[in-house]
Amino acid sequence: MDKITRWFGLFQCILVSYSANIRAQNWQSVDTGLSLNPRVMYSDGLELYVGTEVYNNSHNPISKWNGMEWDSIDNGCGMGPVLAITKFNGNLIAAGSCDIQYWNGSAWSLLGGGSNSAVLGMGIFEDDLIAVGWFDTIGSVAASRVARWDGQQWSAIDTTKWGVSATACAIEYQGDLYIGGNMHNTELDIDRIARWDGSQWHKVGNGIRGGIASVNCFEIYQGYLFVGGRFFAGNGNPGPNIARWNGQEWLDVGGGIYEPGGLGCDVRDMVVFEGELYAVGTCQQAGGVDALYVAKWDGEEWCGFGDVFDNTIGAITVHQGELYIGGGFRTINNDTILRVAKWVGDDFTDRCGTLSVVEEVETNSTELTIYPNPTNSATTLTWQGQSHGNYQLHLYDASGRQLTPSVIAQEAGKLEIDMSNLAQGIYFGQLFIGEAIRSFTVVKQDL
C-alpha cells in the first residue's frame, strides 16, 4: 500500500505540474513597453490601440502596438484616463476625462469643439458617431449625456434629463440605439438602460434594477444584445452582472457571472472571438465554475481557463484574428506578463458548466428543425403543436442588424424562408410561436 500511495502521489504531482504548464502557455506577453494599466483596447485591423489610466510626465495615455513594439501617440487625450477609442471617417477618436478628441496624424484637436464634461463611451448609430458620458453641452449644443456627430457637427438626441448620473456605453441593435450607464428617469421608468427608436426613449423591459446597479458594456452575440455591468440577480434582473435581451424580454445567461459568497463585482468588457463570447472584469465565477476575471460563453455553458491573475482585467478585443486582454495584472500563473497579454491557448478550457439556464420554450411541441443548413437559396423551419397563423419570425445578421426575411411558403408548423439575396455568412433567428421562443442559427453559402 505504501508503494501504491507513493506512486499515486507522484502521479498527482506530475499531473498538477503538467496542468500548470498548460495554463502557463495560455497567455503570451505583449512586450513590456506599456507602463500604465489599460482601460480600453481598440483594433482598426492594422494596429492595436490602448487607452490607459493616467497621464504623467513620462507616459502618454494612448499607445499603439504594431506587432513588434509599443509606440505612444504624443500627448494623447491630455491627462487621461482614456475610456473609449474608435475610428470614424478615417480619424482616430479618443474620449475620456480629456473630453473627446481626434488625431489628424500629427496632433490632437477637440472634436467639434468638445464637451463641458467627460465623455465615457462611444458607439455608431445610423452611420453617426454617438458620444455618451457626463456632459450637458457638446459643441455648444445642449445635449444631456447623449449626442451624435455626423462628421460636421454635433446634435442632441432628445433633451431628456438623466439627473445626477452618467451614460457609459452605446450600441445599435435591431435598428434602435441602446445606451447604458447608471442613469435613471422616473417619468419614463427607465433604469440603467434605455432604447431610442429615432423619435423617443423607451424602457428596456424593467431595466436593470438596484441601488448600485450600472451597465458598463454591450456586445451582440447570436442575435441577442448582451449587457454587462454590476447588478445582482432578482428584483427583476436576470443577472448577476450579465444578461441578454432579445428585443422583447430579458433572459438569463447560464446563471451569470459573479463573486463567491454573493459579493459585488462587475463585467467591464466583452467581445466575440471565434464564435464564442468572452467577458472580463472583476468577477471570479461564471455558471458554477471558477473563471477568474475572464469567462467564455459558447451559447450553452460558461467555461473558465484555470488561470491565476494577480489583478483584474479591464479590457478585451480581437486584433488580426487574435484575442488580447489588458488590465492591472503583473503576473499570469506566476509568470511575469505586464498589463497586456495575447491568448495562445487554442481551445483549452479548465472547466465548463452551467449553474442554471432559463428555458426559452415551454410547450408540448417537438424541437424546431431547420433544413437545409447550410443553404445557398432557401431554408425551411418546421415545428409541431402550434397554429401556423400564430407566429413571428425575426432574423439578424452577425452584427445584430434585424433583417426582413422573405417567407416563400407557410403552412401549419412550417415556414420556408428565401435567403438567396443574403450575403454569405452566419444568421441568427428567433421564432415566436405563441408565447414560446425558439432560437436558431443558419449558414448562408454562396450559390
Side-chain angles (χ1 to χ4, degrees):
M1 290 296 295
D2 289 344
K3 181 179 292 187
I4 294 175
T5 301
R6 286 196 299 271
W7 276 109
F8 182 71
L10 178 61
F11 173 75
Q12 283 185 310
C13 290
I14 294 173
L15 182 62
V16 169
S17 176
Y18 176 71
S19 298
N21 185 55
I22 291 177
R23 289 197 300 270
Q25 297 175 16
N26 283 348
W27 301 97
Q28 177 179 300
S29 176
V30 182
D31 196 35
T32 58
L34 194 65
S35 301
L36 303 170
N37 294 341
R39 294 291 296 272
V40 61
M41 306 177 77
Y42 169 77
S43 171
D44 66 358
L46 297 176
E47 294 178 304
L48 175 66
Y49 296 87
V50 176
T52 55
E53 289 183 340
V54 295
Y55 174 90
N56 59 39
N57 292 331
S58 60
H59 301 291
N60 291 320
I62 300 181
S63 298
K64 61 181 180 180
W65 171 253
N66 62 13
M68 299 292 293
E69 61 183 356
W70 291 103
D71 182 25
S72 63
I73 301 180
D74 187 45
N75 294 323
C77 211
M79 296 295 292
V82 177
L83 303 175
I85 300 175
T86 192
K87 276 197 169 180
F88 182 74
N89 288 348
N91 292 319
L92 183 69
I93 314 291
S97 64
C98 62
D99 205 317
I100 183 167
Q101 303 189 32
Y102 72 96
W103 174 253
N104 64 11
S106 59
W108 290 95
S109 299
L110 291 173
L111 185 66
S115 65
N116 68 340
S117 192
V119 174
L120 305 182
M122 295 184 288
I124 302 294
F125 174 62
E126 296 179 340
D127 297 325
D128 287 347
L129 178 70
I130 303 298
V132 295
W134 279 106
F135 55 85
D136 293 312
T137 304
I138 189 166
S140 74
V141 174
S144 179
R145 311 296 195 262
V146 188
R148 63 193 302 170
W149 171 259
D150 63 5
Q152 299 294 324
Q153 60 185 0
W154 288 105
S155 61
I157 296 181
D158 196 30
T159 56
T160 297
K161 298 298 182 182
W162 298 109
V164 185
S165 57
T167 52
C169 50
I171 195 170
E172 183 172 349
Y173 174 68
Q174 296 184 5
D176 292 338
L177 172 67
Y178 284 74
I179 62 170
N182 65 353
M183 72 283 186
H184 176 78
N185 184 284
T186 303
E187 181 181 353
L188 300 177
D189 192 26
I190 289 176
D191 253 335
R192 276 69 181 186
I193 183 171
R195 176 177 65 88
W196 173 257
D197 66 2
S199 60
Q200 59 184 334
W201 291 107
H202 300 271
K203 66 178 184 177
V204 180
N206 289 322
I208 299 296
R209 306 285 185 174
I212 62 171
S214 64
V215 171
N216 300 333
C217 54
F218 293 127
E219 185 60 270
I220 294 171
Y221 177 62
Q222 294 186 344
Y224 296 96
L225 175 63
F226 279 73
V227 177
R230 182 183 180 90
F231 47 89
F232 293 100
N235 196 26
N237 297 335
N241 302 310
I242 190 169
R244 52 181 171 164
W245 173 255
N246 64 13
Q248 295 192 8
E249 64 178 339
W250 289 106
L251 298 170
D252 170 75
V253 185
I257 301 177
Y258 46 90
E259 190 81 350
L263 301 176
C265 65
D266 61 348
V267 173
R268 295 183 174 177
D269 200 6
M270 296 181 288
V271 74
V272 176
F273 175 64
E274 295 186 344
E276 296 171 312
L277 178 75
Y278 287 73
V280 299
T282 66
C283 303
Q284 299 189 26
Q285 292 185 333
V289 301
D290 291 336
L292 184 64
Y293 308 145
V294 56
K296 180 179 74 172
W297 172 256
D298 64 4
E300 296 183 358
E301 62 180 2
W302 287 105
C303 293
F305 302 97
D307 296 308
V308 179
F309 298 84
D310 69 335
N311 209 329
T312 58
I313 303 173
I316 186 168
T317 197
V318 176
H319 174 60
Q320 296 183 347
E322 297 181 297
L323 186 70
Y324 288 77
I325 59 171
F329 53 84
R330 303 294 188 273
T331 65
I332 304 177
N333 303 318
N334 294 319
D335 287 346
T336 299
I337 299 179
L338 298 175
R339 300 178 180 87
V340 179
K342 180 174 70 173
W343 174 256
V344 291
D346 295 324
D347 294 328
F348 172 79
T349 53
D350 182 67
R351 187 180 303 173
C352 299
T354 302
L355 182 65
S356 62
V357 175
V358 175
E359 291 292 334
E360 296 180 352
V361 181
E362 293 182 3
T363 71
N364 58 2
S365 63
T366 58
E367 291 297 321
L368 180 73
T369 61
I370 179 168
Y371 65 91
N373 190 14
T375 181
N376 56 23
S377 57
T379 191
T380 300
L381 306 177
T382 62
W383 68 96
Q384 295 179 359
Q386 296 285 344
S387 167
H388 72 279
N390 188 24
Y391 77 89
Q392 287 185 341
L393 177 65
H394 293 175
L395 189 67
Y396 310 97
D397 63 16
S399 70
R401 182 170 59 95
Q402 186 169 2
L403 310 175
T404 303
S406 176
V407 177
I408 302 172
Q410 66 181 65
E411 56 186 84
K414 183 177 180 179
L415 289 177
E416 186 176 0
I417 308 171
D418 182 14
M419 301 189 67
S420 59
N421 293 325
L422 298 180
Q424 180 180 0
I426 299 176
Y427 294 84
F428 305 101
Q430 293 173 320
L431 184 65
F432 296 78
I433 311 169
E435 296 181 354
I437 305 174
R438 292 295 175 88
S439 298
F440 62 91
T441 302
V442 58
V443 178
K444 168 66 191 313
Q445 296 179 331
D446 284 339
L447 293 172

